[in-house]
Every structure is written in C-alpha cells, then in structure tokens.
C-alpha cells in the first residue's frame, strides 16, 4: 500500500508517516528504486500499537523504546500515567467546583468584583470561604467599577518606598498611601473585613499574582491603617 493510502487508512498525515520513518519509529515495509514508500499488514499492526500507546499519553520516545523492546517497562509507564491522569482529574474537578461556586454567587443583578476575582482561583485549594465571605464577594452590578493603572502603579511605588524607609503614619507619603487604599480600594469597592483577611493571605501566598503588592508591603499598609485609626 502506498503512503497516501496507508495514511488515509490509519488516520494520520503523510508528513507524520515520513516523520515516523525519520525517527525509526515506523519504517516502510518497502522503498522502491524511485524512493516511494510502501506499507503492509505488519506496518498496520505496528501503527495500531503506536496510536494506541500515544492515545494513552505515551511520548514518541517511550513508544520507540517499547516497540523496539529497549528496556522499556510498560508497568512503570502505566503507573506513572495513572498518577498523572488522576492529578489532571483532580485539577478538572477543582476547576468545575470553582466555576460552580462562582455561578452560585451570580444572578441577573450581581457580579464578582474584578479586584477580588483572583481569590476564586484558590477555592477548594488553600482558601476556605464561609457563606458570608462568599456573599461579600458579590456586589450589585448597577455600579461601574473603574481602575486607574497609572494611579495603582504610583501607589505601589510609594508604598514600597515607605516600607523600605520605615516611614510612619506621620509622613505625608505614607498617609497618601493610606488615603488611596481607603478611598480607591476599600470604599470604592465596598471591601468587607473578611475580604481584607482573604487578601492578606492571598498576597502572602501568591506574590506573583498580586499586581505589585507583596506580603510585606501589605502587612506594612495594614499597620499604617491601624496607626491612622488609633491616632483619631
């Protein structure tokens, strides 16, 4: 059988057959003087094995070892693939749970606040939310939420500067950070006390996803907030 017909029969492309030939995974049964490849029943049987193992997640390198009987332990492979499949299944289940929990909180007149949406990625993972906390992550959708990226970047830069220089609430720059956090974050988005605690954990555990905020600068900001309240 010529290459094109064999490709159509097995459901792979001609280029795939050429590649398998190049890597010595599936050699043609015959190559004539003109360089045309031909495949036979043995080729079909070997392709069936290759495709079956590939569908189970085996890499071409492992398949090459297996079909050529080069010290490849199929039992070890099966156990490893089972563990990988189980991990993927758990991940999908968590994803389904997170989406379901989000859906439960939404109605025609509700939406999740964009500033707190990343917290939902941790549901059923390392963040346990009470029903009250879940409720506080929603808001009426008749308000337009705005976010000024330039202002946020300036806030992060000022906050980091204040933290590094250990400025107190008496410093104007530190006070400006507190004012920004109160007016542009807490008050603007109706942040509940429970959500402040969640944010603290989030900034601590996920600094790469906190848009410049770190566990240290957040803790420092919270101290400034407490000092400001004590000073009143």
């Amino acid at each position: 059988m010529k290459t094109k017909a064999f490709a159509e029969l097995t459901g792979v492309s001609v280029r795939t057959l050429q590649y398998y030939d190049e890597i010595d995974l599936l050699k043609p049964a015959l190559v004539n003087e003109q360089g045309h490849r031909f495949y036979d029943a043995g080729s079909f049987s070997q392709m069936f094995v290759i495709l079956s193992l590939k569908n189970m997640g085996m890499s071409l390198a492992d398949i090459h070892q297996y079909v050529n009987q080069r010290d490849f332990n199929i039992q070890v492979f099966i156990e490893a693939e089972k563990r990988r499949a189980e991990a993927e299944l758990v991940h999908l289940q968590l994803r389904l749970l997170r989406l379901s929990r989000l859906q439960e909180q939404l109605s025609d007149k509700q939406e999740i606040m964009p500033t707190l949406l990343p917290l939902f990625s941790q549901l059923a993972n390392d963040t346990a939310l009470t029903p009250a906390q879940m409720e506080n992550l929603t808001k009426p959708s008749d308000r337009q939420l705005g976010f000024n990226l330039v202002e946020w970047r300036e806030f992060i830069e000022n906050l980091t500067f204040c933290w590094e220089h250990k400025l107190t609430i008496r410093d104007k720059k530190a006070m400006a950070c507190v004012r920004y956090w109160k007016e542009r974050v807490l008050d603007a988005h109706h942040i509940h006390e429970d959500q402040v605690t969640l944010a603290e954990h989030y900034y601590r555990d996920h600094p790469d996803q906190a848009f410049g905020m770190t566990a240290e600068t957040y803790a420092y900001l919270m101290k400034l907030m407490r000092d400001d309240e004590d000073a009143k």
Side-chain angles (χ1 to χ4, degrees):
M1 184 176 291
K2 290 183 178 180
T3 300
K4 183 177 180 181
F6 187 72
E8 292 175 351
L9 177 65
T10 56
V12 301
S13 67
V14 171
R15 180 67 191 100
T16 295
L17 291 177
Q18 293 171 344
Y19 179 66
Y20 286 178
D21 183 11
E22 293 171 5
I23 65 174
D24 294 325
L25 181 60
L26 177 62
K27 306 295 291 186
L30 172 68
V31 180
N32 65 14
E33 295 179 355
Q34 291 74 35
H36 297 150
R37 296 175 173 88
F38 293 87
Y39 297 85
D40 59 11
S43 306
F44 181 82
S45 297
Q46 189 167 348
M47 176 60 80
F48 182 81
V49 172
I50 291 172
L51 294 179
S52 298
L53 294 176
K54 187 177 179 182
N55 287 337
M56 286 193 291
M58 188 181 290
S59 68
L60 292 182
D62 286 342
I63 295 174
H64 189 284
Q65 283 186 303
Y66 179 72
V67 299
N68 289 284
Q69 298 299 315
R70 295 180 181 175
D71 299 324
F72 184 83
N73 191 323
I74 189 66
Q75 291 292 345
V76 172
F77 161 77
I78 291 174
E79 289 299 322
E81 282 303 300
K82 282 181 61 179
R83 289 193 295 270
R84 186 175 68 85
E86 289 168 354
E88 290 179 355
L89 181 59
V90 170
H91 175 75
L92 288 174
Q93 289 174 331
L94 286 176
R95 182 180 177 190
L96 178 61
L97 175 60
R98 291 161 186 161
L99 290 171
S100 298
R101 295 286 294 276
L102 266 175
Q103 188 177 45
E104 291 173 3
Q105 299 306 306
L106 301 179
S107 68
D108 293 339
K109 296 183 179 180
Q110 289 182 316
E111 67 180 6
I112 300 299
M113 288 181 290
T115 53
L116 294 175
L117 187 57
L119 291 171
F120 276 86
S121 67
Q122 307 307 314
L123 291 183
N125 191 351
D126 58 10
T127 298
L129 300 183
T130 66
Q133 290 171 330
M134 291 289 290
E135 179 65 24
N136 288 326
L137 287 177
T138 62
K139 58 167 285 295
S141 60
D142 56 352
R143 296 179 64 252
Q144 294 295 322
L145 288 177
F147 184 77
N148 188 310
L149 184 60
V150 175
E151 289 182 359
W152 175 263
R153 184 177 63 182
E154 182 179 354
F155 161 71
I156 290 296
E157 290 176 351
N158 288 339
L159 180 62
T160 302
F161 176 88
C162 294
W163 170 69
E164 290 175 345
H165 292 81
K166 297 180 173 59
L167 301 184
T168 68
I169 192 61
R170 293 188 294 272
D171 186 271
K172 291 183 178 180
K173 189 181 288 288
M175 189 63 214
C177 291
V178 170
R179 189 180 307 111
Y180 173 90
W181 189 255
K182 284 185 176 180
E183 297 176 359
R184 304 296 292 168
V185 178
L186 299 184
D187 294 343
H189 298 135
H190 301 291
I191 304 298
H192 190 271
E193 182 178 347
D194 287 335
Q195 296 165 15
V196 173
T197 302
L198 288 175
E200 181 177 359
H201 295 163
Y202 187 79
Y203 293 140
R204 180 194 65 202
D205 299 333
H206 307 279
D208 57 327
Q209 303 173 26
F211 307 103
M213 184 75 76
T214 67
E216 292 79 13
T217 55
Y218 186 78
Y220 168 75
L221 176 62
M222 292 302 100
K223 183 179 185 307
L224 290 179
M225 295 278 291
R226 291 191 296 270
D227 292 345
D228 182 49
E229 290 299 320
D230 293 341
K232 292 180 179 181

